[in-house]
Amino acid sequence: MQKPSRPPHTPLRLGTRGSPLALAQAHMTMAALRARHGWDENAVEIVTVQTSGDRIQDRALAEIGGKALWTKELDRALLAGEIDFAVHSMKDVETIRPAEIRIAAMLPRADVRDRLVGAASFEALPENPVVGTSSPRRAAQVKRLRPDAQVVLFRGNVATRLGKLAAGEADATLLAAAGLDRLGQGDVGAAVPLDTMLPAPSQGAVGIETLSDNAAMLELLATISDADTFDCVMAERAVLVGLGGTCHSPIAALGRLEDGAIHLRAEIISPDGQETVGDALRIARGDGAAAEAMGRALLARASPALRALFEA
């Protein structure tokens, strides 16, 4: 493909949430485009869009509309022509997207692990620890590892959650290693091994969306997309399709390239941590049907109570 000499119009408008992490990821995306195409600093401008998820901080996402709270305002801006493309943390993007919008690219994936902040390990936590998180997956995994734990709601950006921890609202919390690293806080917390906590689907990946019929933007964005990240994350998202998962559903999944194929692991967990149904398989790159079938197979093996979380 011939290297474009300039953007379709200047400046291109990059939509993002206004949190420090979202802005850091937007600047990463802008830098990647500028480096790839030799553009100057005026070629792309960042347009900050406040989302419902940013405004509402006192309730779990599942209670107030799920992951669409992170995307619907950016989707509206795209469809209205107010921005040309949008950047997201892929784990915050709902499974089924509008047909008019396409996931066009993903940046190279960062550390996929969680970090435990407040203790060196789960074993080092005190008896009956209080752990703050808003993630059903993390809450279920914490209960599996420490049945004596009390899980309390922690919403907000990284600084807000660290502030709650510092104020003594919990003994520990869990944050994505990728987000901490992107904020220059790579020394915060202790990385949790993948065999201890499998991450959320798409964790550590930054995705870029544009309109499905915007051929010029699709072409530009394809030049900065990391194919390995894209294929693994799309496999994880296909597992979600098979599960029909929602923000109520504790789901973990991770795809990694091994010898040209994707080694895909996934599990669903009961909220009390007492039941885990997991599997692993090798699939070809782009074989979304196999990944979807994996999700359906997990549900078929689950107890009625666990399966009900996905059928509600």
Side-chain angles (χ1 to χ4, degrees), residues 54-70:
D54 294 309
R55 288 193 297 270
I56 305 169
Q57 297 290 335
D58 59 346
R59 285 171 285 168
L61 285 180
E63 298 177 6
I64 53 175
K67 290 183 177 181
L69 292 173
W70 300 126

Side-chain angles (χ1 to χ4, degrees), residues 120-280:
S121 67
F122 286 99
E123 293 78 14
L125 287 168
E127 289 187 14
N128 305 309
V130 177
V131 179
T133 183
S134 63
S135 160
R137 170 192 62 91
R138 287 174 176 151
Q141 290 172 324
V142 166
K143 294 294 287 185
R144 180 175 64 193
L145 293 163
R146 288 294 302 262
D148 61 329
Q150 176 190 356
V151 177
V152 297
L153 179 68
F154 264 31
R155 284 278 322 278
N157 62 32
V158 169
T160 298
R161 285 180 277 172
L162 291 176
K164 290 181 177 184
L165 184 64
E169 295 184 25
D171 296 302
T173 190
L174 288 149
L175 295 167
L180 289 167
D181 290 344
R182 288 171 183 145
L183 290 170
Q185 296 179 275
D187 58 342
V188 172
V192 182
L194 293 175
D195 288 340
T196 301
M197 288 185 72
L198 198 64
S202 309
Q203 186 156 311
V206 174
I208 311 158
E209 292 188 322
T210 191
L211 294 178
S212 300
D213 61 359
N214 190 338
M217 277 307 311
L218 289 169
E219 182 180 2
L220 288 172
L221 294 173
T223 65
I224 63 167
S225 188
D226 184 80
D228 293 351
T229 298
F230 195 97
D231 289 349
C232 288
V233 169
M234 294 307 285
E236 295 161 23
R237 288 174 61 81
V239 173
L240 291 175
V241 173
L243 286 167
T246 70
C247 282
H248 294 280
S249 313
I251 304 166
L254 179 63
R256 291 196 145 170
L257 282 172
E258 294 181 1
D259 299 323
I262 296 175
H263 180 256
L264 185 61
R265 295 169 56 195
E267 64 183 24
I268 54 177
I269 314 144
S270 63
D272 63 5
Q274 296 305 297
E275 180 183 359
T276 298
V277 180
D279 204 354

Side-chain angles (χ1 to χ4, degrees), residues 104-118:
M106 295 184 202
L107 300 183
R109 199 173 199 172
D111 191 339
V112 300
R113 295 174 295 178
D114 289 303
R115 288 206 189 118
L116 179 66
V117 186

